[in-house]
Amino acid sequence: MRAVLEKTIKGLWLLLKPFSILLPGENSRITKLLDKIQLPLFILCLCLLFFLVGSAVFYFQIPPYDKISSAFEGGQAWIEAQSEENDPSKTSEDVETSINKRKVTWNREEAFRGLTLINVRYSDTAYLIDMRGKIVHRWTMPWRQAFGNQHPHVVRPVPAKRIFFEGGQVLPNGDFIGVYTGDTDTPWGYGIVKVNKNSKVLWTYKQKAHHNMYVDIEAGKIYATVHYFIKTPEPGLEGLSYPLMADDIVVLSLETGKELDRIRMLNAFKGTPFDVYLYHYPPVPKAPWDFFHTNNVMKLEPELAEKFPMFEAGQLLVSLRNASLIAVIDPETKKVVWATTGPWKNQHHAQFLPNGRILLMDNMGLYLNKSVYTQILEFDPITSGISWRFPDNKVDYKFLNNIYGHVQRLPNGNTLIGETFGLRLIEITPEGKIVWNYKLAMPTRKVTSKGRDFPEGVLSDKRLNAASALVNHHRYTYEELPFVKSLKKDKPDEGETADDIAAETPEEITEEPEEEVTEEVPEDEENQDE
């Protein structure tokens, strides 16, 4: 080590010696000053050398990269833990405040009574609400608490305030399965956790699972999606542009979280009549590497299979957002057996219906008066026609979910629709009549960005500790969730009794929020991650 330092000093002297002729004699002020700064100059050069070496270690991920990265991550986590601004619990407090100030309009005769699970962006708490919008139960599990220091699938996590539940399902016994997202990270899938009704961790799945999942309770399986980067061309897929982010379907054990099977999406298309879709759709300009962006998977259950004669029970319906494509995959052959595009764009949450059709949210396929809006479509896979839509030409209702999106067909034929940035859930009849309207109370804005007009209800992201998007929902019957059997009746407000609630007319119940606040934000503030 001493020899290295001597060589370094000698090299610096040789570098500076040619300039010595420009300096005055050895007794001059400048010469004396240089004598005094030799040591600081040497230390500065050493710091520069260490910086260059450290940069190379991180860039090329060479030893001791792992140890340094772990130390850096631990320090970052400690700093975040000391900051109230980065405390995820503050997000939950904000969300609960907005839930408590919600506005609910409810038509008791026509709405489908049940309990609704909601997930809000930047919150690691999932909420179960009743028809009056009141919290019946909650599950809270911060990502860092669930995974601890053992998360090899996420080397450098984003700050805790940006990690939230993007998807989730509730089981009959009160267990909750949640899918984490790390906003602004790429890939953003942060894994899956299963907790009991008291929010105690039962297991974690340490892969880059993202969006949502399908839970088959009877078979004891979970169908989810994971994504990852492929840097070099795959055999038989050399014509694609690399690097790219690919998706796989994974099958997990509901009991243990262990991975039971995996279907590679690229291979599922390769060698089938549908592999043309791999080459003939325009990539997303800002993220050409995000190849499929699969946002949901659903299994065709045996009781629905007879309504879909072209498919077989057990096959999987997937929604590929960036390709504006829906496809059906056989889990036995692991190949695509059917795929199609349609009059939709960037769709979400495609699902089989009991009437033999496919329901989906068409996020950006409705064009009205030079503006883009979202619509709900019911697609007939036999005729390739649209058999139902909302809104239609008889209903004047406009909203835009440029990212995220969830829709659910309820047992009584009504449809539950989530407005991402409007923080609103509406339940509509087949005729388009709104019979349940649930609105979280949050500041709103209106913004024009890159030629698109975003309607009122788009939220400000200035405060990450404020709920800014409704990313997931699902309505359950009370029979599906027996663990809340004791809470069948809505809790009365202060001063009310159960008899007061039962005696209310079946027309409409309205709970007014506090006055909404209008907030101006920069026009270019827009999240492109989902």
Side-chain angles (χ1 to χ4, degrees), residues 449-463:
S449 178
K450 300 177 179 63
R452 296 198 300 254
D453 290 331
F454 289 74
E456 295 289 352
V458 179
L459 300 191
S460 167
D461 287 342
K462 275 187 173 180
R463 291 181 62 241

Side-chain angles (χ1 to χ4, degrees), residues 34-305:
L34 287 176
D35 290 338
K36 291 181 179 180
I37 66 173
Q38 281 184 11
L39 181 60
L41 182 62
F42 172 68
I43 295 175
L44 178 63
C45 291
L46 279 181
C47 291
L48 178 61
L49 179 62
F50 285 135
F51 172 78
L52 294 175
V53 171
S55 299
V57 167
F58 268 82
Y59 184 82
F60 296 105
Q61 297 189 7
I62 56 179
Y65 166 78
D66 292 338
K67 293 182 178 180
I68 296 176
S69 178
S70 297
F72 178 80
E73 180 185 322
Q76 184 184 37
W78 184 86
I79 293 173
E80 289 176 4
Q82 312 310 309
S83 172
E84 181 178 309
E85 179 183 357
N86 291 327
D87 185 355
S89 66
K90 298 299 179 182
T91 306
S92 297
E93 291 176 10
D94 289 340
V95 172
E96 294 206 15
T97 298
S98 66
I99 290 175
N100 292 333
K101 295 180 180 181
R102 81 267 176 203
K103 179 178 180 181
V104 180
T105 302
W106 177 19
N107 184 316
R108 283 176 174 262
E109 285 188 336
E110 298 185 72
F112 181 78
R113 186 179 176 85
L115 299 165
T116 306
L117 173 73
I118 60 172
N119 294 113
V120 180
R121 187 166 66 170
Y122 304 135
S123 176
D124 50 26
T125 298
Y127 298 91
L128 192 66
I129 61 172
D130 61 22
M131 296 298 287
R132 296 168 63 83
K134 295 182 180 180
I135 299 173
V136 173
H137 196 68
R138 63 177 63 77
W139 298 262
T140 299
M141 182 48 60
W143 181 83
R144 293 182 186 275
Q145 181 178 334
F147 288 86
N149 294 323
Q150 303 299 318
H151 43 80
H153 62 301
V154 182
V155 178
R156 291 186 292 274
V158 296
K161 62 185 178 181
R162 289 189 175 274
I163 306 174
F164 60 94
F165 286 129
E166 184 176 353
Q169 292 286 333
V170 184
L171 302 183
N173 66 349
D175 290 352
F176 172 77
I177 307 170
V179 183
Y180 289 106
T181 281
D183 188 42
T184 69
D185 202 355
T186 302
W188 49 86
Y190 269 41
I192 301 175
V193 67
K194 181 181 180 182
V195 299
N196 65 14
K197 65 180 180 181
N198 299 317
S199 296
K200 180 181 178 181
V201 174
L202 301 176
W203 54 255
T204 58
Y205 177 63
K206 298 175 182 178
Q207 293 289 326
K208 292 183 178 295
H210 59 97
H211 282 84
N212 216 322
M213 76 216 124
Y214 182 78
V215 179
D216 185 346
I217 296 178
E218 290 188 7
K221 294 180 179 180
I222 299 171
Y223 296 85
T225 55
V226 298
H227 55 185
Y228 54 93
F229 272 104
I230 299 177
K231 297 182 179 180
T232 58
E234 295 274 293
L237 297 170
E238 291 84 359
L240 301 180
S241 178
Y242 294 88
L244 61 80
M245 190 163 66
D247 285 305
D248 289 354
I249 298 173
V250 292
V251 185
L252 311 179
S253 165
L254 180 59
E255 181 65 24
T256 65
K258 180 181 179 181
E259 186 174 316
L260 305 175
D261 200 6
R262 180 179 287 240
I263 302 172
R264 299 197 67 191
M265 199 78 72
L266 285 173
N267 287 346
F269 277 89
K270 185 173 66 175
T272 72
F274 308 99
D275 62 3
V276 294
Y277 287 114
L278 299 179
Y279 303 95
H280 293 89
Y281 76 88
V284 177
K286 286 190 174 182
W289 37 263
D290 189 2
F291 202 72
F292 284 134
H293 200 109
T294 307
N295 53 37
N296 88 286
V297 56
M298 179 182 184
K299 177 185 174 184
L300 180 59
E301 297 292 353
E303 59 268 24
L304 296 182

Side-chain angles (χ1 to χ4, degrees), residues 406-430:
H406 205 82
V407 61
Q408 179 188 2
R409 178 60 50 83
L410 301 173
N412 68 346
N414 289 352
T415 303
L416 188 62
I417 303 168
E419 293 185 33
T420 302
F421 295 106
L423 280 180
R424 186 191 306 273
L425 288 173
I426 59 171
E427 179 184 340
I428 62 169
T429 65

